[in-house]
Amino acid sequence: MTDLTGAVWRKSTRSGDNGGDCVEVATNLPGVVAVRDSKDDAGPALAFDPTAWQAFVIGVESGGLTR
């Protein structure tokens, strides 16, 4: 389990203005990008390797990832 103590969370630039249902991202921890649901800040978070996270972001931005 990754220790996310000290994570500085920010609203994802990809989250819209949808009444608080947002994704938050923390990129300030060495070697990890953390993602969580803003509605449950004490709940679970996902931790990604920065390279994997970048590949995910590129996939989303390019339209290569769909439902």
Side-chain angles (χ1 to χ4, degrees), residues 15-64:
S15 290
D17 184 24
N18 52 8
D21 296 340
C22 302
V23 173
E24 292 181 319
V25 179
T27 57
N28 67 304
L29 301 172
V32 68
V33 175
V35 181
R36 71 178 182 185
D37 183 345
S38 66
K39 295 184 306 297
D40 188 7
D41 62 2
L46 300 173
F48 295 90
D49 172 87
T51 303
W53 178 252
Q54 186 62 31
F56 172 75
V57 170
I58 289 168
V60 170
E61 289 175 342
S62 70

